[in-house]
Structure formats: structure tokens, C-alpha cells
Amino acid sequence: MEFSHEPVLLKECIEGLNIRPNGIYVDCTVGGAGHSAEILKRLGPKGLLIGIDQDREALEAAEEKLRKTESKAKFIIIHENFENIRQILDEKRINAVDGVLLDLGVSSYQIEAEKRGFRYMDDAPLDMRMNQDSEFTAKELVNTWPKDEIARIIREYGEEKWAARIAEFICKARENQLIETTSQLVDIIKAAIPASARRKEGQHPAKRTFQAIRIAVNRELEVLENALPGIVESLNRGGRLCVITFHSLEDRIVKQFFRNKSGLCKCPPDFPKCVCNPVKQLKIITRKPIVPSEEELKRNHRARSAKLRIAEKL
């Protein structure tokens, strides 16, 4: 299957990065290189693009696309998790960069590749790994984690009100046989959620649970929280950070991080004066997140939940 992933909010990201022709830019989730190719086109002979991804298939597609891009700039492709951005740059002897892009969405290729087990519409192995080198899979999670922990992630990461009941049904089902496929898990989830609630929701009953398990398998929220401080540390003065999120949990983390780094006082409102001594490291460029236009949504329905936040290093 061809690695395809239409870049979300492409124009807005390119403008937000405020690209300098001789700068160094990092695409932390290079995917099929949709955003990266446009960054590379805007770089001159002294410019450098670094593309990071934990999916080897994505990196192969990205390298092929970037080689075909008309640009005199150099690029480097790295198989790694962007959580380790500071270590990656240190190994390349790069002190600071001029811009970083984070597109936190799952690619169309990853979703549609049945062997990856991301979709609740397919009958596929329970996998959900973004990094195929990782040993921990969705199958291991649903078959070994304690009931309370499964309920917690479904409730917190999937914002699913039937989390406790779904976890109970999962644990009961695995007593009889291993849960090995997406269709098995979907059937369990459907059985756990009352039919009246399923009809009322108007969406697939497994959507939230699958999201939650995917987030847990790939440590998505933990990785984001760990990565943001290193990214800011790695930016030159005036460097930009653009982050595209696709659900409220990610967006909340980014919004709060930007707020904390923008020098706003965190003292309780009844304090007579500020005692937290906030340090201002970032200027928030987007007071409200940028969302896709109606035109983009017509082209790409998967962009509907995307939000772009941009900040600049001071």
C-alpha cells in the first residue's frame, strides 16, 4: 500500500513556522513527508530539514518523497521517537533549531493498513503499534492489564462513560480465550454498552475505546508531555513551535504548556501579589487554535478535529 497522508493545515503550518531559508527545521512526525516536502522547498543550500518518525514504513516513504522534492537544502531522516529530540540533536551536534512541527495525527496509511489493527471496522490482529519495533501491543494490554487499569485508560483517554463496564466485559471474555483480533474486541465492547446507549450516541461504539487503547499502547500523552520541554529548549530565539492536535486531551496538554511557558502568573487569585515568579519563555502566536477551513474539510474529512497552536521562543 502506498503511504498516503494528506497534510492537515498545511498552509497554516508553513506560515506559522515563519521559515528562514538557511534555518534548521524538525518535523517530529514526518509521516509521508507532506508537511516536510513543503518545508524543504522553502529552504536554501544552507538549510537543513530533520524528519523524525517511529514508523519505519513512513520513513521509507518520506525519504523517497523528499529526494524528489526540488530543493538544494539537505535533509536527514531518523527512526526515533520525538520524545528524545534533545538526544537526537545532541548526536547530530546541533545546539538549536529554528522551527519544530508536531502533527500528532495517525496517518491514513496506518489507519487503513489492516495488519496494523488501528481500525474497529476491520478484522485484524490487535496491534496498534506506531513503532513496529516495539514489543508492547494492544493484544498484550487487553489480555494482561488489571481491570481497574483498563477502565482508567478507557475513561481518561477515550472519555467513555461506559469504561468500567467495558473493562469488566474484557476481563470476563479473556478468561475463556485470548482476545486476539479487532473484531473480537469490537464484539465485547458492543456487548458491554446497552443497545439504547449505542443508538443514542450515533457513532461506532468502539471508537472511544480503540482511541484509548491506541493512546496507551503508544504512550502518546506521556510522550507529548515529555517532549515539549526539550523542544522549547532546542529552539533558537525567534524559533517557532507548531503543534497539530486531534483530540481534547492532546490539545489541553499543549494549551497548558504554552500558558505555563508564556510567563502568566499561576498564583491563586486571592493572593495580594505574585509569588510564583513565572519565567517567560514563549510568546503565544495563536490565542485561539487554528482549525481547518470548510474547503479543507470537504477535501479531507479526517481534518475535522484538528487544532493548530503556535508559539515562538523568546
Side-chain angles (χ1 to χ4, degrees), residues 75-91:
F75 69 87
I76 302 171
I77 297 296
I78 299 171
H79 178 247
E80 188 47 279
N81 191 311
F82 67 84
E83 180 180 23
N84 303 315
I85 186 170
R86 191 58 261 170
Q87 178 184 334
I88 292 166
L89 295 177
D90 286 343
E91 289 175 356

Side-chain angles (χ1 to χ4, degrees), residues 135-151:
E135 294 182 359
F136 184 62
T137 66
K139 175 183 173 181
E140 182 175 348
L141 188 154
V142 300
N143 285 291
T144 65
W145 276 23
K147 180 175 68 174
D148 290 347
E149 189 64 7
I150 293 175

Side-chain angles (χ1 to χ4, degrees), residues 96-300:
V97 301
D98 299 291
V100 176
L101 171 65
L102 277 173
D103 175 2
L104 300 174
V106 182
S107 73
S108 299
Y109 171 85
Q110 289 171 326
I111 293 172
E112 292 169 5
E114 290 187 13
K115 64 179 181 178
R116 307 296 289 269
F118 284 107
R119 293 210 313 175
Y120 40 79
M121 303 301 290
D122 300 320
D123 183 18
L126 261 181
D127 192 327
M128 301 195 197
R129 291 172 297 169
M130 291 182 180
N131 182 356
Q132 293 296 91
D133 291 353
S134 172
E135 294 182 359
F136 184 62
T137 66
K139 175 183 173 181
E140 182 175 348
L141 188 154
V142 300
N143 285 291
T144 65
W145 276 23
K147 180 175 68 174
D148 290 347
E149 189 64 7
I150 293 175
R152 181 189 69 80
I153 65 161
I154 296 174
R155 181 174 58 252
E156 293 181 8
Y157 298 168
E159 299 176 296
E160 171 61 75
K161 66 180 180 181
W162 297 100
R165 187 172 165 89
I166 292 169
E168 181 181 347
F169 274 56
I170 287 173
C171 292
K172 186 175 181 180
R174 74 190 189 190
E175 290 176 1
N176 299 319
Q177 63 175 358
L178 280 177
I179 304 168
E180 299 186 277
T181 67
T182 54
S183 60
Q184 281 179 279
L185 182 58
V186 167
D187 288 343
I188 293 166
I189 295 166
K190 285 181 177 179
I193 302 176
S196 58
R198 298 202 305 269
R199 288 192 296 269
K200 187 177 179 181
E201 285 292 329
Q203 65 178 13
H204 197 287
K207 181 177 180 180
R208 293 192 181 99
T209 298
F210 268 61
Q211 172 183 293
I213 293 173
R214 189 205 77 219
I215 289 171
V217 167
N218 296 287
R219 301 173 45 251
E220 293 176 36
L221 302 183
E222 180 184 345
V223 166
L224 178 60
E225 289 179 327
N226 291 344
L228 288 170
I231 290 172
V232 172
E233 178 189 343
S234 301
L235 285 172
N236 278 316
R237 181 179 179 182
R240 294 279 185 93
L241 168 58
C242 296
V243 187
I244 304 173
T245 61
F246 287 85
H247 55 76
S248 59
L249 300 174
E250 294 171 335
D251 184 59
R252 197 176 304 144
I253 291 170
V254 176
K255 179 182 178 180
Q256 190 59 53
F257 179 81
F258 280 10
R259 179 181 172 85
N260 291 342
K261 295 297 181 179
S262 66
L264 294 176
C265 175
K266 295 185 283 293
C267 295
D270 57 344
F271 273 34
K273 66 176 182 178
C274 175
V275 295
C276 67
N277 300 316
V279 177
K280 191 170 185 178
Q281 291 182 280
L282 293 177
K283 174 186 176 183
I284 299 175
I285 304 299
T286 50
R287 290 295 166 184
K288 291 184 177 180
I290 299 170
V291 297
S293 65
E294 288 298 323
E295 181 183 348
E296 179 169 1
L297 290 175
K298 288 178 183 177
R299 291 195 320 269
N300 182 11

